[in-house]
Amino acid sequence: MEFATIPIMSSEPNKKVVTRFAPSPTGFLHVGGARTALFNWAYARANGGEFILRIEDTDKARSTPEATKAIIKDMQWLGLDWDQGPDPDADDPYANQIGDRGPYFQSQRSGLYDDAVKKLFEKGRAYYCFKTAEELDALRKAARAAKKPYQYDPADMLALNADKDALQARLDAGDEHVVRFKMPDHDVAVNDEILGEVVVQQAELEDFIIVKKDGGPTFHLANVVDDAAMGVTLVMRAQEHLNNTPKHVALFEALGLEKPRFAHIPLIFNSDGSKMSKRDKAKVARQAAKDAKLESVDGIDGQLFADFLAKKNDELPVALVIAKQLDLVLPEIDVADFRDSGYLPEVLDNYLSLLGWSPGNDVERFGPNPLSFLKENFTLDRIGKSAAKFDRDKLAKFNTEAVVMLPVDDFAARLKAHLAAHYPEYDDLVANDAHFKAFCEGYQERSRSLDEPAKGGRFFVCSDDEIVYDFTPKGIKKAMMKNDGEGFVMLERLVEAFGDLPEEGFGNAAHDWMAKTAEAESLNMGKIAQPIRVAVSSGTVTPPIDATLNILGKARTLTRFKNCIAVKPA
């Protein structure tokens, strides 16, 4: 039996390295895809090569321009640039592209795929298949009933293709069909840069579809034709694509195209060992809806919601509406989720790099510019074979350290942009330079992300009437109810004392009064400060009192003191 192998090369001294990232624009950029893009970018940059962004939009029903723009935005946020692909600065990336091997949207490359199919027909490596989905499903069920693995049998279709008159009659009649690729009659081996030699026996090879019923190319055909036409020298992708690679190798050979090298990187799992998937959001929302015994949600069709609960769909819009209605936080899965949650892009770059790759010597922090570090240090031989686990606690720790270490002005600029993008209610606070500076100083050292100041500081921007007091939590109960309600007694005293303080520099004056009073009366500052925090924020944690009261101002502070006193438990 003939044995097919692929020569493996550890380097390409005489050929420019060309890598690519080829997402499907059917949704947001998953962190697994971002990791693939990052590795391909890093390898190209480390070897003085080129990195291509190619949009694989052959799925006409699910591909959208909005998803394309979102992917471009996410990659730009991560700091990943490309040498060929959609113009990242163009309003219409479909019309404006950079590079000399485009277009870089598969929907614009149909002529190349048609030529490849024609060539495969001429070589006897492609044939028409008229089997219906129902027929194939019946054959699969029969195989399962016989406890045998199902394998597509091309015999009758090959016979039909050989009968030119019968074939033409069916084509002329408009019978629904696809085009299949005839696999070789020998084993196929792939020498993977990470996994080593992977052999697929000839008996396991199955003819697969290369042209769909709608006449469009499948992923397999378009992928191979484009990689060859764009001069890709290394195809680096997740291990879930390993089963596709022998098919692609066979296509390269049948078309007489030069094969690239292949490298399949480990999958990313959740900490519990489950595959990290976009469906995780649906799982969390579905369980929460069942726990809450929701029978419907606002704005969602009843049948769609019922099917969602019954696991018949994992529609993200349904999950998002459930999350909003139940005030539920869904797991971050996509790059946009982490951006919206206030993670720093350089932290995500750093952390994603560690999912399957290591620079060695137990190095985990790559400094303030992880992309520069990767450009200098990334090599294929440091990629592991085992699945990587996404540790959210570790990522949060990385982000906390990075946020705290940001230069003050940098933190302020990033927080300002984050608030503008997600929290317009902060516009007035941000517009006041002194207040915003105090806000930043109060939250930078205590924040795990750029989102925490927005959530923790909401009491600054809500109306006085929106503050709801609950005196049952332990810390609040201690501050307000201990020793026959000494916290309320202090607030009543502060209403009078603070009423005499000036409006200008109110927080500083209030802090001076507190310090003098605590010293004169041998009081712990907490006896004064904690009732203030509870009254103005309904919690026990705020920025320093002087900054907090400067931002709130005298009138709002006194109003909240009085509102808190008014709801004192009997």
Side-chain angles (χ1 to χ4, degrees):
M1 179 181 295
E2 185 180 353
F3 188 74
T5 61
I6 304 171
I8 187 168
M9 297 179 288
S10 60
S11 62
E12 296 176 314
N14 300 317
K15 181 183 290 187
K16 178 186 286 188
V17 168
V18 179
T19 65
R20 49 77 164 174
F21 176 54
S24 298
T26 57
F28 292 104
L29 179 60
H30 185 276
V31 291
R35 195 263 314 254
T36 298
L38 182 64
F39 281 15
N40 277 282
W41 178 92
Y43 186 74
R45 295 291 178 257
N47 288 277
E50 290 191 352
F51 174 56
I52 297 173
L53 174 61
R54 184 174 75 225
I55 305 299
E56 300 198 336
D57 57 347
T58 55
D59 188 339
K60 298 176 183 178
R62 299 174 61 221
S63 298
T64 66
E66 292 76 19
T68 294
K69 292 179 180 179
I71 290 169
I72 290 173
K73 178 182 177 181
D74 289 340
M75 291 187 65
Q76 286 182 298
W77 182 72
L78 290 170
L80 303 180
D81 59 342
W82 49 94
D83 305 287
Q84 301 181 51
D87 186 341
D89 300 319
D91 293 332
D92 183 0
Y94 288 82
N96 297 277
Q97 303 176 36
I98 56 176
D100 58 2
R101 297 196 176 186
Y104 298 94
F105 290 85
Q106 289 186 334
S107 59
Q108 300 173 341
R109 299 174 63 84
S110 58
L112 287 172
Y113 311 136
D114 292 343
D115 290 344
V117 174
K118 181 180 179 181
K119 187 173 184 179
L120 291 172
F121 268 114
E122 291 172 350
K123 291 189 171 187
R125 298 297 297 275
Y127 60 91
Y128 294 101
C129 176
F130 295 86
K131 287 186 181 294
T132 66
E134 291 75 18
E135 288 174 326
L136 293 171
D137 186 55
L139 291 171
R140 291 188 186 95
K141 289 180 179 178
R144 284 198 296 270
K147 297 183 179 180
K148 295 180 179 179
Y150 168 75
Q151 188 169 28
Y152 170 79
D153 183 359
D156 53 342
M157 288 297 107
L158 290 174
L160 174 64
N161 278 255
D163 187 339
K164 302 302 181 183
D165 292 337
L167 173 63
Q168 193 60 49
R170 295 199 66 169
L171 292 174
D172 291 343
D175 289 0
E176 196 171 69
H177 63 274
V178 297
V179 176
R180 288 183 181 270
F181 174 71
K182 189 177 185 302
M183 287 293 279
D185 57 358
H186 55 69
D187 299 346
V188 175
V190 179
N191 285 322
D192 189 272
E193 296 281 344
I194 297 169
L195 303 175
E197 186 179 69
V198 178
V199 180
V200 179
Q201 301 296 320
Q202 188 275 331
E204 298 175 12
L205 300 176
E206 187 172 43
D207 295 356
F208 58 93
I209 298 171
I210 55 174
V211 179
K212 296 177 286 188
K213 292 178 181 179
D214 63 5
T218 62
F219 156 77
H220 303 296
L221 178 70
N223 194 275
V224 166
V225 171
D226 288 346
D227 283 342
M230 294 180 184
V232 173
T233 62
L234 174 70
V235 172
M236 181 163 25
R237 53 194 177 191
Q239 286 182 15
E240 62 189 355
H241 284 291
L242 183 59
N243 288 337
N244 294 325
T245 304
K247 300 175 182 178
H248 297 179
V249 166
L251 272 172
F252 274 110
E253 293 176 341
L255 289 166
L257 301 174
E258 183 177 359
K259 295 184 290 288
R261 296 151 60 209
F262 293 94
H264 291 86
I265 56 182
L267 298 177
I268 300 176
F269 290 144
N270 290 309
S271 56
D272 63 2
S274 62
K275 184 180 176 183
M276 192 175 185
S277 165
K278 293 186 177 184
R279 294 186 176 90
D280 290 349
K281 293 181 182 180
K283 292 178 183 177
V284 171
R286 182 180 295 116
Q287 188 58 54
K290 290 180 178 179
D291 292 343
K293 299 182 179 179
L294 289 183
E295 296 182 356
S296 64
V297 288
D298 298 337
I300 297 297
D301 174 77
Q303 188 59 53
L304 182 64
F305 178 68
D307 288 345
F308 181 86
L309 292 185
K311 299 182 180 180
K312 294 182 180 179
N313 71 61
D314 293 311
E315 291 293 328
L316 181 59
V318 181
L320 293 176
V321 172
I322 291 172
K324 183 176 181 180
Q325 187 162 322
L326 297 179
D327 195 23
L328 175 70
V329 177
L330 297 178
E332 295 103 346
I333 300 295
D334 302 314
V335 170
D337 296 332
F338 290 94
R339 181 176 64 246
D340 294 347
S341 293
Y343 284 83
L344 306 184
E346 63 267 33
V347 170
L348 197 55
D349 284 334
N350 191 152
Y351 184 71
L352 289 178
S353 300
L354 296 172
L355 298 179
W357 180 81
S358 169
N361 299 320
D362 296 322
V363 173
E364 289 192 322
R365 271 58 163 194
F366 300 165
N369 193 337
L371 294 183
S372 292
F373 180 90
L374 289 171
K375 184 176 180 180
E376 296 296 325
N377 295 279
F378 190 86
T379 58
L380 292 180
D381 61 342
R382 302 298 305 181
I383 297 177
K385 299 179 182 180
S386 302
K389 287 192 175 182
F390 198 97
D391 186 336
R392 296 176 183 276
D393 290 336
K394 186 172 183 177
L395 173 59
K397 183 179 179 181
F398 275 29
N399 205 62
T400 301
E401 293 173 356
V403 167
V404 171
M405 293 175 65
L406 284 174
V408 172
D409 290 345
D410 191 6
F411 174 78
R414 295 192 195 213
L415 180 58
K416 183 177 182 179
H418 186 75
L419 294 174
H422 303 288
Y423 298 94
E425 61 269 31
Y426 276 87
D427 287 353
D428 289 342
L429 190 155
V430 172
N432 187 310
D433 292 341
H435 287 179
F436 185 56
K437 180 180 179 182
F439 184 80
C440 292
E441 291 174 348
Y443 278 104
Q444 181 172 4
E445 291 189 1
R446 66 180 71 216
S447 296
R448 289 162 37 119
S449 71
L450 296 176
D451 212 49
E452 288 196 355
K455 293 179 177 177
R458 188 179 179 278
F459 69 92
F460 283 116
V461 295
C462 70
S463 68
D464 299 332
D465 293 339
E466 288 182 78
I467 301 294
V468 177
Y469 299 101
D470 179 3
F471 302 108
T472 57
K474 185 177 180 180
I476 295 176
K477 185 176 182 179
K478 178 181 178 182
M480 304 305 295
M481 308 297 294
K482 188 177 179 181
N483 297 330
D484 297 322
E486 65 180 2
F488 288 100
V489 173
M490 177 58 69
L491 281 184
E492 291 171 351
R493 181 180 177 185
L494 291 174
V495 169
E496 181 177 350
F498 284 10
D500 295 331
L501 298 179
E503 176 68 42
E504 186 70 24
F506 169 68
N508 301 87
H511 188 270
D512 289 343
W513 183 93
M514 293 166 59
K516 291 176 182 177
T517 301
E519 182 178 2
E521 300 179 16
S522 299
L523 289 175
N524 185 306
M525 277 285 279
K527 296 289 186 181
I528 309 175
Q530 288 307 92
I532 292 176
R533 289 191 166 95
V534 172
V536 300
S537 73
S538 76
T540 58
V541 179
T542 71
I545 290 296
D546 52 351
T548 296
L549 300 188
N550 274 332
I551 295 172
L552 278 175
K554 179 178 176 179
R556 297 179 70 195
T557 297
L558 294 179
T559 297
R560 294 187 184 190
F561 284 179
K562 294 172 184 177
N563 288 350
C564 184
I565 293 170
V567 294
K568 175 184 177 181

